[in-house]
């Protein structure tokens, strides 16, 4: 019989001997936030019966939109613990300082509280993505520079997937591990230790309706994935949910590539470097895969703004490198010529 390992036990057993517990406890805080958000997401369909976002409920309280609720839960669970020096959230314009009345800690938490928000109202999987960095300087209290660190400097990253079950998947740079929430006992239990992205890959994931807007290199790449135009591979199956965490998670477990490329007239792409691309890039590299902006590793990009966007190709290394090859051959060559 396999041992039952809770996330608390796993984090504790895997913390370095010199750890002071701050980092371990920060991961616990996130796991707790995940449970609170998961509980609320399963009630999302009741909003129409119990009151719409923005309306006032029976107790006279304002109903919160789920993404605002998720943002608030993470903030309120983490602001007073003394473990963080600053936070940043995809939901907020600026950095989130730790209130003066609380002591500050050594870590930076960057998060996308509820990604894939267009899927909330239609009962499709959504997710939370988080990144943890070290504070760059001990003396100061939360600065923008502490949040603008490249993915290569991540201490940990992970996501929570609110799907047919709730899963928390994270890495501290020593492999990727997945936990499934047992809703009856309220514990995350180790279900997917040491995740490695499998070969051969099965899926490619992209929003095809943008085909006409892509550069030639990206169009040729997608046709290559489909096994067309003298492609030397058998076609991959297409799967696209439009919920990044869910699309990423499926490809991580089954093998494949997810892409949200640049468009010929919008070179930045849609996804955010800090909240989406860097943490998932960190995870995929830990699982033996690769993440690129089409030209080089996402993890090496120095952020210049909190909400900076970036094209993204993520999945099995061979597939992502092939995207880079097409972009080099058709797009970069054209730019140079
Ligand atoms: P959001 O941050 O507004 O939720 O948008 C991000 C989402 C991702 O989850 C998903 O991969 C992508 O947007 C889908 O975009 P599109 O509808 O253009 O395919
Ligand atoms: Mg998002």
């Amino acid at each position: 019989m396999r041992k039952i390992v809770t996330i608390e036990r796993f984090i504790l057993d895997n913390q370095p001997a010199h750890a002071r517990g701050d980092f371990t406890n920060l991961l616990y805080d996130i796991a707790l936030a995940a449970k609170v958000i998961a509980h609320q997401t399963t009630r999302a369909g009741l909003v129409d019966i119990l009151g719409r976002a923005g309306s006032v409920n029976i107790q006279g309280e304002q109903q919160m939109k789920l993404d605002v609720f998720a943002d608030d839960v993470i903030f309120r669970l983490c602001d007073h613990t003394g473990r963080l020096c600053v936070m940043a959230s995809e939901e907020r314009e600026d950095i989130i300082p730790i209130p003066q009345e609380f002591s500050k800690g050594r870590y930076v938490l960057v998060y996308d509280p509820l990604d894939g928000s267009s899927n909330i109202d239609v009962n499709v999987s959504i997710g939370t993505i988080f990144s943890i960095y070290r504070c760059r300087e001990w003396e100061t209290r939360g600065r923008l520079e502490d949040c603008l660190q490249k993915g290569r400097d991540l201490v940990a990253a992970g996501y929570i997937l609110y799907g047919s079950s709730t899963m928390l998947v994270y890495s501290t740079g020593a492999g990727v591990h997945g936990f499934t929430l047992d809703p009856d006992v309220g514990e995350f239990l180790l279900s997917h230790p040491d995740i490695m992205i499998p070969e051969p890959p099965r899926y490619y994931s992209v929003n095809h309706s943008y085909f006409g807007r892509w550069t030639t290199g990206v169009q040729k790449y997608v046709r290559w994935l489909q096994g067309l135009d003298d492609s030397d591979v058998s076609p991959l199956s297409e799967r696209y949910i439009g919920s990044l965490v869910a699309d990423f998670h499926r490809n991580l477990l089954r093998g494949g590539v997810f892409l949200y490329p640049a468009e010929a007239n919008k070179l930045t792409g849609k996804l955010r470097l800090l909240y989406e691309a860097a943490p998932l890039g960190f995870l995929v590299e830990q699982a033996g895969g690769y993440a690129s902006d089409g030209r080089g590793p996402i993890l090496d990009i120095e952020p210049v703004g909190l909400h900076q966007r970036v094209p993204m190709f993520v999945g099995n290394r061979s597939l992502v490198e092939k995207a880079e090859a097409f972009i080099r051959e058709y797009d970069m060559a054209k730019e140079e010529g």
Side-chain angles (χ1 to χ4, degrees):
M1 288 271 275
R2 239 170 76 184
K3 272 193 290 184
I4 298 175
V5 182
T6 63
I7 196 163
E8 279 80 0
R9 185 76 254 158
F10 188 86
I11 294 171
L12 211 58
D13 287 350
N14 287 282
Q15 73 174 4
H18 61 268
R20 299 202 308 210
D22 278 5
F23 178 65
T24 307
N25 285 322
L26 175 53
L27 287 171
Y28 292 169
D29 297 339
I30 293 167
L32 179 57
K35 291 182 210 173
V36 177
I37 298 167
H39 175 72
Q40 208 58 27
T41 52
T42 55
R43 298 175 55 79
L46 297 170
V47 163
D48 280 344
I49 303 165
L50 303 177
R52 283 196 165 281
S55 69
V56 174
N57 70 11
I58 292 170
Q59 288 85 29
E61 297 157 338
Q62 190 83 8
Q63 301 280 311
M64 246 187 221
K65 274 182 70 190
L66 212 47
D67 41 7
V68 179
F69 171 83
D71 176 72
D72 194 56
V73 166
I74 297 173
F75 169 71
R76 286 196 290 136
L77 272 169
C78 296
D79 70 335
H80 59 282
T81 58
R83 303 191 240 281
L84 297 176
C85 68
V86 67
M87 289 184 254
S89 161
E90 208 213 62
E91 282 287 320
R92 309 190 192 203
E93 199 58 31
D94 298 315
I95 58 164
I96 314 168
I98 300 302
Q100 284 296 336
E101 66 261 40
F102 304 127
S103 58
K104 79 170 197 74
R106 294 181 293 158
Y107 294 102
V108 178
L109 177 64
V110 174
Y111 61 96
D112 184 351
L114 216 49
D115 185 73
S117 40
S118 67
N119 281 321
I120 297 176
D121 287 346
V122 288
N123 219 340
V124 171
S125 301
I126 42 182
T128 297
I129 309 173
F130 63 91
S131 301
I132 301 172
Y133 295 94
R134 255 184 216 94
C135 211
R136 283 194 201 238
E137 218 179 76
W138 177 236
E139 280 71 36
T140 48
R141 253 184 126 81
R143 301 158 315 154
L144 179 62
E145 298 92 287
D146 293 311
C147 299
L148 298 182
Q149 300 193 48
K150 56 181 191 295
R152 212 49 88 192
D153 297 331
L154 276 161
V155 179
Y159 60 81
I160 300 119
L161 172 63
Y162 312 100
S164 47
S165 53
T166 300
M167 277 196 73
L168 191 154
V169 176
Y170 83 95
S171 174
T172 56
V176 181
H177 311 287
F179 301 79
T180 303
L181 182 65
D182 180 333
D184 292 332
V185 294
E187 285 283 7
F188 278 106
L189 304 178
L190 181 62
S191 52
H192 297 67
D194 297 307
I195 299 172
M196 293 300 284
I197 190 163
E199 292 282 354
R202 299 217 342 225
Y203 299 123
Y204 79 96
S205 311
V206 67
N207 189 336
H208 268 287
S209 65
Y210 304 136
F211 191 91
R213 301 187 205 163
W214 297 332
T215 57
T216 310
V218 173
Q219 289 180 338
K220 294 220 178 250
Y221 173 58
V222 171
R223 290 179 70 77
W224 177 83
L225 292 168
Q226 294 170 322
L228 300 169
D229 300 343
D230 302 323
S231 175
D232 51 353
V233 289
S234 43
L236 295 170
S237 276
E238 210 261 337
R239 293 279 189 285
Y240 190 72
I241 298 169
S243 208
L244 180 59
V245 173
D247 279 313
F248 177 87
H249 182 73
R250 181 202 50 246
N251 291 1
L252 183 69
L253 296 189
R254 294 286 178 264
V257 62
F258 170 93
L259 51 147
Y260 206 112
E263 295 173 5
N265 296 321
K266 193 170 139 212
L267 294 177
T268 50
K270 174 183 183 185
L271 301 175
R272 320 271 178 155
L273 174 60
L274 278 178
Y275 306 105
E276 292 156 338
L280 298 186
F282 179 80
L283 287 169
V284 88
E285 282 207 6
Q286 283 295 316
Y290 177 46
S292 168
D293 66 353
R295 292 161 190 242
I298 279 189
L299 295 187
D300 289 336
I301 302 175
E302 290 275 2
V304 291
L306 275 183
H307 295 278
Q308 171 179 351
R309 296 172 194 269
V310 72
M312 188 178 192
F313 300 79
V314 60
N316 289 70
R317 181 168 280 279
S318 56
L319 294 180
V320 176
E321 284 179 349
K322 194 73 184 176
E324 288 180 335
F326 273 101
I327 288 170
R328 236 184 345 261
E329 183 176 347
Y330 292 97
D331 302 340
M332 291 167 78
K334 199 162 104 191
E335 286 162 22
E336 281 157 21

